[in-house]
Amino acid sequence: MQETQKKEKKKGMSSTGKMVAWIVGGVILFLLLLTGVIIWIVMTYFSGFFADPEDELNKYMKKKYGEEITLVYAGNRNEGNLGDTEHKVALKDNPDFDFWIDVNGFFRTIVEGDDYEKGKKTYEKYQTIEDDMLDISEFGFTRIQEGQYSTYLDYTEEGFYRLNVQDDHILSRYGLKEEELKDMMELIEWIRSKGVDIGQLMVFGRSDEAKEGYQIELLIKDVQLISSIADLKKEIAEEHPSTLSHEIEERMKPKMQTLDEERIIPNVSDQNTHEAHWISCNAIAQDGKCSNMLLALYYETDGFYPGHPYIVQDLTKVFEWIKPELGQDGSVTIQVIEKDVQDEPLLNLIELNKSDENERVGVAWKNDQKEFQELKMEQGEGKE
């Protein structure tokens, strides 16, 4: 009797164990299947992140237009724009037929739309001047190398066209040479003679032979407003105010040389670029003059701080000389770098408006020195 009960008990335990095993096995199998499904979904979703954007765009173009493309210029995709960007593409068998494709999604290339029709219309316009494009080499221009502007003719959001060219000269935003400006004027006149609504001109050029691959761009936004080199300078300065800096420096040099060079000189020592300048124009006024200027000076005097007896006189002269270079209601920030006894450079910023009187220089300098002393005291107390 007891043996029978033991056998039944053992048999019951065995059935329970099998049931538990089946349940555990089922749960494990379910989890494995679920993990597999999740992995498949993740891999499918993120596959666009690893895919070649050109392949993705080609799939889109073949399906919609039956065309093959090459990626000309890849837009930036980062966390800041959540993956939304534009890619410039061109037809594989016709690099002059280019247009932009809008995409979004940081991990996948999801096409939102394209400018294929605009590109087609632009290419048709280009065909009307294609045979004449070699003429621009007479003015010193060739096909542009920068991907974003790689075709001669581009459409703009404003509804007209932009001509993109490469200048064979070494260009500088600090003062364009007269020869270069004349070449641009000839090109603008050539543009007008073609009967195509070209409203903008993009000129690319090398800034320095030592910097391979580095280029600068000069955008002339409204070609129709230009009838002289003076107009051309103004239009370039609208987009690139620093082009005025060199001319202002050239006019200021003779006057600056009349100051005592043992005290004050233009400061370029803290700039390591090949275009080190001590006058920077940051914006221009309607009259084409500088409306926001930074003028950097260096005071070569040990023991200068807290004040040299000639500083106000020197700065007043400089301010008077710079006034004619400022546009209406223009302002200048005079940055004075001075040395103290410990050879530690001290920086002073004096902000002045064109309408300020001479006496204003002394007041501004005094206030600046006061603020500087207070700042130094705060820093000294913080260190302690």
Side-chain angles (χ1 to χ4, degrees):
M1 183 83 177
Q2 289 179 351
E3 289 180 2
T4 304
Q5 289 178 347
K6 285 180 181 179
K7 286 180 180 179
E8 288 178 355
K9 193 172 183 182
K10 286 181 180 179
K11 188 177 179 182
M13 288 177 63
S14 178
S15 299
T16 304
K18 285 181 180 180
M19 186 178 294
V20 171
W22 274 105
I23 293 173
V24 172
V27 170
I28 292 173
L29 181 61
F30 173 76
L31 290 175
L32 286 172
L33 288 172
L34 181 62
T35 303
V37 170
I38 292 173
I39 291 173
W40 179 80
I41 292 173
V42 171
M43 290 297 291
T44 302
Y45 183 78
F46 285 94
S47 62
F49 182 72
F50 303 101
D52 186 346
E54 187 169 351
D55 291 339
E56 296 294 310
L57 296 176
N58 252 313
K59 289 177 186 177
Y60 167 82
M61 287 298 299
K62 285 177 183 177
K63 183 177 180 181
K64 187 172 182 180
Y65 299 105
E67 298 279 9
E68 282 191 74
I69 55 93
T70 56
L71 183 62
V72 177
Y73 179 82
N76 293 324
R77 304 178 72 175
N78 52 51
E79 295 86 348
N81 57 23
L82 300 177
D84 297 348
T85 189
E86 291 179 308
H87 297 309
K88 188 175 186 180
V89 302
L91 296 189
K92 195 168 185 177
D93 59 352
N94 190 350
D96 289 311
F97 190 142
D98 68 348
F99 51 96
W100 294 84
I101 295 180
D102 297 328
V103 300
N104 69 13
F106 185 64
F107 296 107
R108 290 182 59 83
T109 299
I110 303 172
V111 178
E112 288 293 301
D114 61 79
D115 287 346
Y116 179 83
E117 292 301 327
K118 285 184 179 180
K120 182 179 179 181
K121 183 179 176 182
T122 303
Y123 177 65
E124 290 170 354
K125 289 287 184 182
Y126 169 69
Q127 285 180 302
T128 65
I129 60 173
E130 185 176 10
D131 294 338
D132 300 325
M133 283 306 297
L134 289 178
D135 294 348
I136 68 170
S137 62
E138 298 176 9
F139 317 134
F141 301 101
T142 54
R143 191 185 190 96
I144 210 163
Q145 301 300 315
E146 168 60 39
Q148 191 172 357
Y149 307 102
S150 55
T151 48
Y152 278 123
L153 203 63
D154 266 340
Y155 53 87
T156 68
E157 296 300 324
E158 291 80 5
F160 45 81
Y161 302 101
R162 180 183 62 238
L163 186 69
N164 306 313
V165 295
Q166 183 93 13
D167 195 321
D168 293 337
H169 299 102
I170 295 177
L171 296 181
S172 168
R173 284 206 182 104
Y174 288 96
L176 291 169
K177 296 176 182 176
E178 202 70 18
E179 178 187 355
E180 295 161 359
L181 291 169
K182 286 179 180 177
D183 288 342
M184 288 185 198
M185 278 302 301
E186 288 184 323
L187 182 58
I188 289 170
E189 289 167 3
W190 179 89
I191 289 172
R192 291 193 181 120
S193 71
K194 296 305 160 187
V196 179
D197 188 17
I198 298 175
Q200 293 183 357
L201 175 63
M202 172 67 75
V203 180
F204 259 65
R206 292 175 294 122
S207 63
D208 193 320
E209 288 180 317
K211 295 188 176 182
E212 294 182 6
Y214 177 72
Q215 295 178 313
I216 66 168
E217 59 185 67
L218 295 173
L219 175 62
I220 301 164
K221 275 197 166 181
D222 200 336
V223 170
Q224 307 308 320
L225 294 178
I226 298 171
S227 58
S228 65
I229 286 183
D231 293 337
L232 177 58
K233 284 182 179 179
K234 183 178 177 181
E235 280 298 303
I236 293 175
E238 286 279 359
E239 189 69 17
H240 313 284
S242 58
T243 54
L244 296 178
S245 304
H246 176 75
E247 294 180 13
I248 298 173
E249 284 183 358
E250 289 300 306
R251 288 191 287 269
M252 284 284 289
K253 273 181 183 177
K255 297 174 180 177
M256 291 295 295
Q257 289 171 355
T258 64
L259 295 174
D260 188 340
E261 292 187 6
E262 292 183 0
R263 292 203 309 268
I264 191 168
I265 57 172
N267 175 58
V268 295
S269 59
D270 61 333
Q271 301 184 45
N272 296 319
T273 65
H274 65 286
E275 291 183 335
H277 290 266
W278 49 284
I279 291 179
S280 298
C281 184
N282 301 312
I284 71 163
Q286 291 183 346
D287 57 5
K289 291 186 175 182
C290 190
S291 64
N292 187 318
M293 183 188 297
L294 176 65
L295 190 152
L297 303 176
Y298 189 80
Y299 236 76
E300 287 276 13
T301 307
D302 287 335
F304 171 84
Y305 186 81
H308 192 285
Y310 297 107
I311 184 64
V312 173
Q313 293 91 315
D314 288 343
L315 293 180
T316 299
K317 288 180 183 178
V318 173
F319 180 51
E320 283 299 301
W321 294 335
I322 213 69
K323 272 187 179 182
E325 305 291 349
L326 297 174
Q328 187 176 6
D329 300 324
S331 64
V332 58
T333 299
I334 302 178
Q335 172 184 289
V336 183
I337 298 177
E338 49 179 294
K339 287 199 306 184
D340 65 0
V341 212
Q342 291 81 26
D343 291 329
E344 179 188 354
L346 305 177
L347 178 64
N348 302 270
L349 296 175
I350 308 165
E351 297 181 9
L352 298 163
N353 296 318
K354 185 175 182 178
S355 57
D356 288 336
E357 299 296 331
N358 293 354
E359 292 76 12
R360 173 66 182 157
V361 177
V363 175
W365 177 257
K366 184 177 179 181
N367 291 339
D368 185 75
Q369 288 287 300
K370 182 180 178 182
E371 291 178 8
F372 187 79
Q373 289 180 46
E374 291 173 351
L375 179 62
K376 292 292 282 184
M377 288 177 65
E378 290 176 7
Q379 291 176 343
E381 290 172 0
K383 289 179 181 178
E384 292 177 3

